[in-house]
PDB file of all heavy atoms in Angstrom:
ATOM      1  N   ASP A  50     163.631-115.847-179.449  1.00 77.00           N
ATOM      2  CA  ASP A  50     162.216-116.153-179.675  1.00 77.00           C
ATOM      3  C   ASP A  50     161.385-114.870-179.781  1.00 77.00           C
ATOM      4  O   ASP A  50     160.471-114.774-180.612  1.00 77.00           O
ATOM      5  CB  ASP A  50     161.681-117.030-178.540  1.00 77.00           C
ATOM      6  CG  ASP A  50     162.304-118.421-178.539  1.00 77.00           C
ATOM      7  OD1 ASP A  50     162.805-118.846-179.597  1.00 77.00           O
ATOM      8  OD2 ASP A  50     162.309-119.067-177.467  1.00 77.00           O
ATOM      9  N   VAL A  51     161.695-113.889-178.923  1.00 75.00           N
ATOM     10  CA  VAL A  51     160.949-112.626-178.952  1.00 75.00           C
ATOM     11  C   VAL A  51     161.198-111.897-180.269  1.00 75.00           C
ATOM     12  O   VAL A  51     160.278-111.360-180.882  1.00 75.00           O
ATOM     13  CB  VAL A  51     161.340-111.750-177.750  1.00 75.00           C
ATOM     14  CG1 VAL A  51     160.711-110.362-177.869  1.00 75.00           C
ATOM     15  CG2 VAL A  51     160.904-112.399-176.453  1.00 75.00           C
ATOM     16  N   LYS A  52     162.439-111.881-180.732  1.00 77.00           N
ATOM     17  CA  LYS A  52     162.744-111.245-182.014  1.00 77.00           C
ATOM     18  C   LYS A  52     162.016-111.926-183.158  1.00 77.00           C
ATOM     19  O   LYS A  52     161.516-111.267-184.077  1.00 77.00           O
ATOM     20  CB  LYS A  52     164.254-111.269-182.256  1.00 77.00           C
ATOM     21  CG  LYS A  52     165.041-110.270-181.436  1.00 77.00           C
ATOM     22  CD  LYS A  52     166.499-110.241-181.875  1.00 77.00           C
ATOM     23  CE  LYS A  52     167.261-109.153-181.133  1.00 77.00           C
ATOM     24  NZ  LYS A  52     168.675-109.072-181.572  1.00 77.00           N
ATOM     25  N   SER A  53     161.941-113.248-183.102  1.00 75.00           N
ATOM     26  CA  SER A  53     161.229-113.978-184.150  1.00 75.00           C
ATOM     27  C   SER A  53     159.740-113.665-184.129  1.00 75.00           C
ATOM     28  O   SER A  53     159.106-113.509-185.173  1.00 75.00           O
ATOM     29  CB  SER A  53     161.473-115.483-183.978  1.00 75.00           C
ATOM     30  OG  SER A  53     160.740-116.212-184.937  1.00 75.00           O
ATOM     31  N   ALA A  54     159.172-113.585-182.915  1.00 72.00           N
ATOM     32  CA  ALA A  54     157.739-113.282-182.798  1.00 72.00           C
ATOM     33  C   ALA A  54     157.427-111.874-183.291  1.00 72.00           C
ATOM     34  O   ALA A  54     156.369-111.625-183.891  1.00 72.00           O
ATOM     35  CB  ALA A  54     157.294-113.439-181.341  1.00 72.00           C
ATOM     36  N   MET A  55     158.348-110.935-183.056  1.00 73.00           N
ATOM     37  CA  MET A  55     158.139-109.556-183.496  1.00 73.00           C
ATOM     38  C   MET A  55     158.521-109.339-184.954  1.00 73.00           C
ATOM     39  O   MET A  55     158.253-108.268-185.508  1.00 73.00           O
ATOM     40  CB  MET A  55     158.967-108.593-182.627  1.00 73.00           C
ATOM     41  CG  MET A  55     158.494-108.473-181.198  1.00 73.00           C
ATOM     42  SD  MET A  55     159.530-107.285-180.287  1.00 73.00           S
ATOM     43  CE  MET A  55     158.635-107.189-178.742  1.00 73.00           C
ATOM     44  N   GLY A  56     159.155-110.312-185.548  1.00 72.00           N
ATOM     45  CA  GLY A  56     159.611-110.168-186.917  1.00 72.00           C
ATOM     46  C   GLY A  56     160.865-109.339-187.043  1.00 72.00           C
ATOM     47  O   GLY A  56     161.210-108.873-188.139  1.00 72.00           O
ATOM     48  N   LEU A  57     161.605-109.163-185.931  1.00 75.00           N
ATOM     49  CA  LEU A  57     162.798-108.330-185.932  1.00 75.00           C
ATOM     50  C   LEU A  57     164.047-109.096-186.354  1.00 75.00           C
ATOM     51  O   LEU A  57     165.133-108.502-186.419  1.00 75.00           O
ATOM     52  CB  LEU A  57     163.017-107.724-184.536  1.00 75.00           C
ATOM     53  CG  LEU A  57     161.893-106.820-184.018  1.00 75.00           C
ATOM     54  CD1 LEU A  57     162.194-106.369-182.600  1.00 75.00           C
ATOM     55  CD2 LEU A  57     161.690-105.626-184.933  1.00 75.00           C
TER      56      LEU A  57
END
Side-chain angles (χ1 to χ4, degrees):
D50 293 338
V51 172
K52 285 187 175 182
S53 177
M55 291 181 173
L57 299 176

